[in-house]
Amino acid sequence: MRDVQAAWSDSLCCGPSGSSPTGRRQRSGQSEIRSAGASVAGFTGSVPTTVLVEGRSDAAALRALALAHGRDLAHDGVDILPLGGITNLRAAATRLHATGRRVAGLYDAPEVRFVRRGLAAAGVTSGEDADLEAHGFFCCSRDLEDELRRALGAARVEQVIAEAGETRSLERLAQMPVQAGWTREDLLARFMTSRSGRKERYARLLVEAMPRGSEPAPLCALLAHLGVGSVG
């Protein structure tokens, strides 16, 4: 992974802008897991693979769920590369594709135009209207953290926060005037981003708290695409 990150640092640049057709929103259920599994043949471990995600919290969630199913992605030849912003996808995908690595990833629905344009420009897909799921890229309706919170439910998320010893921090945030009238779900979303490192920490904790089989569909579909069995 250090070699991949070094190559990425050397080539870091901003991605393209502009509009493109919107992607399909991810649906839950076994059908999409089976569909993702149909394209797993390229991910047998014989070809090095890099999963592109927007940030470190996405990487933490992906690693945690794979480990929950008894799989170490790094051992299986799969690296996870946080991009530090979706506009960097084009540069990363171009460099990795040119070296023969396969790429896959997660992205947020509002960023689909960058994903479509970036992957097409990198030569990963044949065009901006390509089926992204067939190429191993799966869509979160808002972002992965939102998918995790909705999968667990607000009450269980608050239990996880309590188990982490941060209930007082959550309640202090709730009492601030700027948060007056917010829903509990919006408050939890703000809490996750109110301190450095908190998103990454809770991405892992929320995945670990989930009953197996209840994880967000985009995360399950990506792991199925990577060959992690019994997901979904």
Side-chain angles (χ1 to χ4, degrees), residues 53-140:
V53 295
E54 187 165 356
R56 291 178 300 188
S57 60
D58 305 280
L62 186 59
R63 289 192 186 98
L65 184 54
L67 287 172
H69 288 275
R71 295 288 291 275
D72 182 337
L73 294 178
H75 182 268
D76 291 343
V78 178
D79 294 327
I80 306 174
L81 180 60
L83 295 170
I86 198 65
T87 56
N88 294 320
L89 180 142
R90 177 177 177 172
T94 298
R95 172 62 68 90
L96 293 165
H97 186 62
T99 62
R101 294 186 72 89
R102 294 185 184 273
V103 293
L106 290 171
Y107 66 95
D108 304 336
E111 311 295 350
V112 66
R113 70 185 187 277
F114 295 107
V115 178
R116 289 189 176 278
R117 289 174 65 88
L119 293 178
V124 175
T125 63
S126 59
E128 293 180 25
D129 60 348
D131 183 346
L132 295 181
E133 291 184 8
H135 289 84
F137 284 81
F138 300 91
C139 179
C140 300

